[in-house]
Amino acid sequence: MRFRLAALAVALAAVPACAQQPAAGPNIGDMAPAFSAKAAAKSGPLAAPITLASLKGKTVVLAFFPRARTSGCTAQMEAYRDQYADLFAGGKDVVLLGVSTDADTTLANWAKEKDFPFQFLSDDTGAVGQAYGTLSGPTGSARRYLYVIDPQGRITHAVKPVNPFSPAQYAELGAAVKKASSGN
């Protein structure tokens, strides 16, 4: 398993520089852009969209990723699942949303298969990705960015791009979520 992760990390590091565009989107201290998007969970597509306004008062983590079921994206979401209680305080007043341009049905099926304890946003129009500066390439898939939004709606932590194989980034995320949730 370690060999496969190491090989994948080497492959991701070999992505041409032209594909690693400069970071865009909001920065730490900015108010988070409002959004509304179709949502999915392991129980299936949700009946109503999720909006940032509906999450006011909670710490929100937006984890953008390119495509469901790809190796790097699966490793990233599985790491969130496997470290969920430590990273997100077990979900108490913290909402993790995986965000991609995949259809809500695709995300729901993947969430059920992998038993992900969090929800996904289906940014099939690209509006959320555009607001957060994550859209890339001719397919319009999301770059692997991460934002932590405090209960007042301000961005307190951003990682552009996320390395899904970096234990240090997961530790930083856990600390950022704890800090945003405590109001410090």
Side-chain angles (χ1 to χ4, degrees):
M1 178 71 166
R2 281 192 175 148
F3 175 75
R4 288 190 347 205
L5 289 177
L8 188 54
V10 169
L12 287 173
V15 173
C18 63
Q20 297 174 357
Q21 300 170 1
N27 295 303
I28 294 171
D30 292 347
M31 290 304 290
F35 63 79
S36 177
K38 291 187 279 185
K42 62 185 175 183
S43 60
L46 303 183
I50 291 179
T51 66
L52 183 58
S54 70
L55 300 172
K56 187 170 174 114
K58 296 188 180 284
T59 299
V60 178
V61 179
L62 296 179
F64 290 88
F65 63 96
R67 291 276 179 239
R69 293 190 176 94
T70 59
S71 57
C73 298
T74 298
Q76 179 184 6
M77 295 302 137
E78 286 178 342
Y80 296 148
R81 178 198 63 204
D82 296 346
Q83 300 175 64
Y84 192 75
D86 293 332
L87 294 176
F88 310 109
K92 184 180 179 197
D93 294 325
V94 178
V95 177
L96 168 63
L97 297 169
V99 187
S100 78
T101 56
D102 291 302
D104 59 347
T105 53
T106 299
L107 293 168
N109 290 335
W110 189 45
K112 184 176 181 178
E113 289 168 17
K114 294 293 186 174
D115 195 29
F116 292 134
F118 46 88
Q119 297 174 331
F120 290 88
L121 294 182
S122 172
D123 187 25
D124 57 355
T125 67
V128 181
Q130 187 152 14
Y132 284 84
T134 70
L135 293 184
S136 70
T139 62
S141 62
R143 290 184 190 102
R144 198 181 308 280
Y145 286 5
L146 182 132
Y147 294 94
V148 176
I149 303 167
D150 73 11
Q152 291 74 43
R154 190 166 305 279
I155 294 174
T156 60
H157 182 75
V159 181
K160 307 174 193 178
V162 169
N163 176 348
F165 303 103
S166 171
Q169 283 189 0
Y170 293 107
E172 290 169 9
L173 171 59
V177 167
K178 185 175 182 178
K179 184 176 179 183
S181 297
S182 68
N184 294 328

